[in-house]
Amino acid sequence: MVEHREQPTSALSHRPQNWHQIDWCRVQRTVRAMQIRIAKACKNGNWRKVKALQRMLTRSTSARLLAVRRVTENRGNKTAGVDGSKRWTTPQSKWNAAHDLERRGYRASPLRRVFIPKANGTQRPLGIPTMRDRAMQALYLMALSPVAETVGDPNSYGFRPERSTADAMGQLYGCLCRKRSSRWVLEADIRGCFDHINHAWLLRHVPMDKDVLKTWLRAGIVHKGTFQATEEGTPQGGVISPTLANLTLDGLESQLGKHLGITRARSLKVNVVRYADDFVITAESPDVLVEEVRPWVEQFLALRGLELAPEKTRIVSIDQGFDFLGWNFRKYGEKLLIKPSQKNVRAFYSKVREIIQGHHGDSQDRLIHRLRPVLRGWAKYHQPVVAKATFHRLDAKIWYLLWRWARRRHQKKGARWVRERYFHTLGARRWEFAYEQRDAASGRTEHMRLEPLSATPIQRHAKIKGEYNPFDPAWERESEMLRTRRMMNSLQYRREVFRLYQQQRGQCAHCRHPITRESGWQDHYLLPRSQGGRKSTSNRVLLHPECHDQVHNLGITVCKPAHEAGLVKA
């Protein structure tokens, strides 16, 4: 339950006067209702109504407020654009920014070019928009997402709500696991997908404001003080770029089925599974892939200004196996096994070795805190596949790296002394890399260990249904169950947060809207620590970051949720 102490009357009205008075529950409900209407009109093929509703949404105050909140809460909010500004850090600047998001007279600024390393040693170019351009993209993305989700291919899993690489893996497993499943696979990759999409095609086919889209596409790039015009592509780094890329490639599955004929495609066992610009097409024989499927795919991409990368495109037998999304798919006899790919394993081991060898001066507890999220994240990614043997093999190699790290720190000490200092016997496990920590409250000493990869249990992933649409009310119940199950699975190693999330039924204790990985969360102490509040979960709740700021600035008292809590005026 949430209780207000002494709140001004204006804060309870529908028209807030500043950032902290915004009723985020009402804002999100308004935007959600409009998006549902857009998705319904799109499903019915009423494109005139879709356009009218999109215009209404992008001009609404609620959508503009939510757009500013999104770009100021995400992980890239501290990255400056070409103007060098990291604005919108104060409530007043956010309030002003939301009211400045006007279409009239809007012109996008050039993108700032940066490069990030790729796994193969090359660099991936990114284009960083200014904060205002990011907010405008987030605003128009709210109106475009319902259309993209409604018309998208059922088995496209990249950059879409509630979909992941594990869902793509699950779909591919279903296409290949049976005795009479497809035996041949076209493993394909598009050359520079984001950088080569045809602008004319986008302007003709993307259902959004053409003038706004054109100003984003033609904004240009600034690199080392030099301006470069953008004649093609949607540079990676923009909020809306992944959705534009998805809309460009949507139809690869549905149109291929129409080209071959639905019945014939089923008899030839042709299936398409796509994640962003990586996709796999299965078939009964290699002749079908060589003579019919690949030429059609190349023609489909050519219309959009794209082409396949020859070095990454090949036709292979399932008995030979292939890599997709960091996993190796291969049949051993009639048994399909999905394992971590050797390339992915080598990249992970190199990263761990670099961390350990690059931090010889760190204390043991700091090294453990550096390694723990890396090991846990990689193990969680491969949790749904046949990875236990790989986990054990890597555990042995990582242990050897840690042993060398410990011996190097104490070159004049014996092996037994080093072992007793850094490695402990915990339960049935010996040689655990751990350190002792004293609990200030209880006075007891406990060991904080580096959990081995093999401690992660193998759990089969529950695949999302291909027809799932987050903007269709018919899928609302399944959406809530899916989101809650996946959040709880991701929080299982963070016991206190997991317990709070369970108690709150996955909702923010203030606005009662879902807490997700995208929205983030913050711990709030019911009785402040400065006033003697305890760190136990009985004195804590989870809030959205904006709700947390609102609670402190408006002096709102938040109580432990009773699940049917509402606002009660003191």
Side-chain angles (χ1 to χ4, degrees):
M1 186 173 69
V2 182
E3 181 180 338
H4 285 260
R5 289 177 185 164
E6 297 178 359
Q7 187 171 334
T9 305
S10 61
L12 297 175
S13 69
H14 296 330
R15 294 185 179 276
Q17 303 302 312
N18 59 58
W19 186 260
H20 289 307
Q21 292 179 359
I22 298 171
D23 184 353
W24 289 111
C25 183
R26 181 183 180 86
V27 164
Q28 292 174 338
R29 187 170 62 244
T30 301
V31 172
R32 171 76 176 169
M34 193 69 70
Q35 289 177 318
I36 290 174
R37 293 179 64 190
I38 293 173
K40 183 178 179 181
C42 179
K43 186 177 181 180
N44 295 333
N46 191 345
W47 293 102
R48 185 184 295 273
K49 187 174 183 179
V50 168
K51 185 176 180 180
L53 290 171
Q54 286 182 324
R55 186 188 306 114
M56 190 184 305
L57 177 59
T58 54
R59 294 180 179 181
S60 70
T61 303
S62 295
R64 287 184 289 174
L65 292 170
L66 208 55
V68 171
R69 174 174 172 173
R70 172 175 176 175
V71 300
T72 55
E73 282 188 351
N74 64 17
R75 290 181 294 179
N77 61 350
K78 296 182 181 179
T79 305
V82 71
D83 57 356
S85 175
K86 303 176 184 177
R87 299 173 296 172
W88 307 357
T89 55
T90 64
Q92 188 60 43
S93 62
K94 296 177 186 178
W95 178 260
N96 294 337
H99 288 82
D100 286 341
L101 293 182
E102 295 286 348
R103 179 192 180 280
R104 179 176 297 177
Y106 170 71
R107 185 173 180 178
S109 302
L111 306 172
R112 182 171 70 90
R113 174 69 84 197
V114 298
F115 294 89
I116 60 174
K118 295 174 65 174
N120 59 6
T122 61
Q123 290 188 318
R124 184 190 304 277
L126 295 183
I128 309 299
T130 62
M131 287 293 289
R132 185 164 186 259
D133 290 339
R134 280 179 243 176
M136 283 294 286
Q137 290 186 18
L139 175 62
Y140 279 85
L141 180 59
M142 291 181 201
L144 185 60
S145 289
V147 178
E149 288 300 310
T150 304
V151 303
D153 286 336
N155 294 307
S156 163
Y157 297 97
F159 306 119
R160 297 180 65 182
E162 310 299 340
R163 300 190 182 219
S164 64
T165 54
D167 292 310
M169 177 270 296
Q171 175 64 21
L172 200 51
Y173 178 84
C175 296
L176 298 171
C177 67
R178 298 176 182 85
K179 186 176 182 179
R180 296 184 179 180
S181 295
S182 307
R183 307 294 303 186
W184 291 87
V185 172
L186 170 64
E187 180 191 1
D189 183 80
I190 301 172
R191 186 197 300 277
C193 178
F194 282 86
D195 297 328
H196 299 294
I197 299 175
N198 186 280
H199 284 182
W201 191 95
L202 285 173
L203 291 170
R204 284 197 306 269
H205 294 90
V206 174
M208 65 169 290
D209 190 309
K210 307 301 181 185
D211 292 333
V212 175
L213 178 59
K214 183 183 291 185
T215 190
W216 289 335
L217 297 177
R218 305 288 172 81
I221 294 173
V222 173
H223 180 53
K224 295 183 178 179
T226 304
F227 177 82
Q228 303 172 6
T230 49
E231 301 297 334
E232 60 181 4
T234 58
Q236 298 183 62
V239 176
I240 204 171
S241 294
T243 303
L244 294 178
N246 265 338
L247 285 169
T248 303
L249 296 175
D250 279 334
L252 185 64
E253 178 181 1
S254 57
Q255 293 182 30
L256 177 59
K258 292 179 182 178
H259 170 71
L260 296 173
I262 303 300
T263 304
R264 185 163 177 263
R266 188 180 296 114
S267 65
L268 293 174
K269 301 175 184 176
V270 174
N271 300 283
V272 181
V273 179
R274 179 170 67 86
Y275 187 90
D277 58 339
D278 294 329
F279 61 92
V280 166
I281 302 178
T282 68
E284 176 65 18
S285 70
D287 295 338
V288 175
L289 295 174
V290 172
E291 298 173 5
E292 297 188 64
V293 173
R294 180 165 181 169
W296 182 89
V297 169
E298 290 175 343
Q299 182 182 6
F300 174 88
L301 295 176
L303 293 173
R304 293 153 175 79
L306 303 173
E307 62 178 357
L308 294 175
E311 66 277 6
K312 296 182 180 180
T313 302
R314 59 184 187 137
I315 296 174
V316 297
S317 167
I318 189 61
D319 297 318
Q320 179 184 350
F322 64 96
D323 291 347
F324 185 59
L325 302 177
W327 292 303
N328 179 261
F329 296 75
R330 183 179 175 184
K331 265 193 173 179
Y332 299 82
E334 296 301 329
K335 182 77 170 178
L336 176 67
L337 296 183
I338 306 175
K339 302 178 182 180
S341 68
Q342 290 300 314
K343 179 181 177 181
N344 189 273
V345 170
R346 286 194 297 268
F348 168 71
Y349 178 70
S350 297
K351 183 176 181 179
V352 172
R353 182 176 58 190
E354 182 180 339
I355 293 174
I356 295 175
Q357 294 181 350
H359 295 89
H360 286 298
D362 278 2
S363 59
Q364 185 182 20
D365 59 331
R366 291 189 64 183
L367 182 63
I368 287 178
H369 286 299
R370 287 183 191 276
L371 289 173
R372 184 176 287 169
V374 177
L375 269 62
R376 184 176 293 168
W378 192 83
K380 287 288 290 182
Y381 184 82
H382 295 288
Q383 188 177 32
V385 303
V386 184
K388 188 63 79 171
T390 305
F391 288 169
H392 282 291
R393 186 170 68 253
L394 282 171
D395 278 340
K397 298 177 73 172
I398 293 172
W399 178 90
Y400 182 69
L401 291 175
L402 294 172
W403 175 250
R404 291 184 59 187
W405 175 88
R407 290 297 305 270
R408 186 181 186 276
R409 288 169 62 87
H410 305 282
Q411 299 181 16
K412 296 183 179 180
K413 298 288 186 179
R416 176 174 294 182
W417 185 94
V418 173
R419 192 263 189 204
E420 293 175 351
R421 171 76 177 266
Y422 293 101
F423 297 87
H424 304 270
T425 299
L426 304 179
R429 296 186 63 90
R430 302 174 60 192
W431 291 89
E432 286 285 309
F433 192 69
Y435 67 95
E436 293 183 349
Q437 184 181 48
R438 181 176 295 276
D439 187 358
S442 62
R444 293 182 301 179
T445 300
E446 57 181 355
H447 286 91
M448 303 297 293
R449 69 166 183 161
L450 181 66
E451 293 90 351
L453 297 170
S454 55
T456 303
I458 302 299
Q459 294 179 355
R460 186 170 182 178
H461 177 78
K463 177 191 167 295
I464 195 171
K465 294 182 180 178
E467 299 78 17
Y468 169 78
N469 187 343
F471 301 104
D472 187 345
W475 292 92
E476 190 69 32
R477 177 177 174 80
E478 184 161 339
S479 174
E480 292 177 356
M481 294 174 61
L482 179 71
R483 182 172 53 247
T484 302
R485 183 169 63 246
R486 292 188 176 180
M487 271 293 292
M488 293 180 71
N489 186 41
S490 67
L491 294 174
Q492 62 180 334
Y493 292 106
R494 305 177 66 173
R495 296 179 181 177
E496 294 184 348
V497 177
F498 179 84
R499 192 176 301 119
L500 291 172
Y501 187 85
Q502 270 188 316
Q503 292 172 357
Q504 298 175 206
R505 296 185 180 176
Q507 297 176 343
C508 170
H510 175 50
C511 71
R512 291 181 294 153
H513 269 72
I515 293 175
T516 65
R517 283 174 288 188
E518 290 75 22
S519 69
W521 63 85
Q522 290 182 357
D523 261 347
H524 174 70
Y525 289 91
L526 304 178
L527 180 63
R529 298 291 305 283
S530 59
Q531 300 177 20
R534 302 170 60 191
K535 282 188 68 176
S536 64
T537 55
S538 61
N539 187 45
R540 292 156 57 193
V541 292
L542 300 180
L543 303 175
H544 290 131
E546 284 293 347
C547 293
H548 197 206
D549 291 343
Q550 198 173 56
V551 163
H552 281 285
N553 283 277
L554 293 183
I556 300 173
T557 299
V558 183
C559 303
K560 274 289 183 180
H563 307 304
E564 288 83 22
L567 292 177
V568 180
K569 191 175 180 180

